[in-house]
């Protein structure tokens, strides 16, 4: 783990860091002026979401390092747990 990651984790107590996890599914769709990305991780039933201005390379089948925090989102009156991605990099 590099210094920047250690500093982020020390500063923000709710952040979680996962290394070497495998991406099962990666969806990209336009949402206003952004591209909304949804990533599903192996052995995890919760979607990981992040936004970028441009499209990202397809991560399906890749191993990644991801820094995220848990969050809830309301969809059609139901609260759904999601993981909001702060940083994502190929492993």
């Amino acid at each position: 783990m590099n210094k920047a990651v250690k500093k982020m984790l020390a500063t923000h107590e709710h952040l979680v860091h996962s290394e070497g996890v495998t991406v099962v599914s990666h969806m990209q769709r336009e949402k206003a002026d952004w591209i909304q990305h949804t990533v599903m991780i192996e052995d995890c039933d919760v979607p990981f979401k992040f936004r970028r201005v441009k499209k990202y390379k397809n991560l399906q089948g890749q191993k990644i390092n991801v820094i995220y925090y848990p969050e809830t989102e309301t969809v059609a009156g139901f609260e759904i747990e999601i993981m909001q991605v702060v940083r994502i990099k190929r492993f």
Side-chain angles (χ1 to χ4, degrees):
M1 195 175 345
N2 65 23
K3 289 181 184 180
V5 172
K6 286 181 183 178
K7 185 177 179 181
M8 285 174 57
L9 293 174
T11 306
H12 305 282
E13 63 185 44
H14 297 292
L15 281 178
V16 180
H17 180 234
S18 297
E19 287 188 1
V21 293
T22 304
V23 176
V24 176
S25 171
H26 179 204
M27 299 295 296
Q28 303 180 57
R29 66 182 182 282
E30 290 185 28
K31 188 173 183 181
D33 293 337
W34 294 88
I35 304 295
Q36 175 74 46
H37 298 264
T38 305
V39 176
M40 294 299 290
I41 303 294
E42 190 172 68
D43 298 328
C44 184
D45 296 332
V46 180
F48 290 72
K49 292 186 171 186
F50 63 99
R51 296 185 309 171
R52 287 178 49 106
V53 176
K54 299 185 227 175
K55 286 196 170 193
Y56 200 76
K57 292 180 182 179
N58 191 357
L59 295 172
Q60 189 166 346
Q62 300 291 317
K63 289 197 178 282
I64 60 169
N65 293 342
V66 62
I67 299 173
Y68 58 92
Y69 58 93
E71 195 173 88
T72 57
E73 185 177 90
T74 304
V75 177
F78 295 99
E79 284 194 0
I80 298 173
E81 183 181 17
I82 65 165
M83 301 300 174
Q84 189 63 44
V85 175
V86 175
R87 184 177 181 189
I88 189 167
K89 292 185 107 178
R90 290 181 189 242
F91 186 64

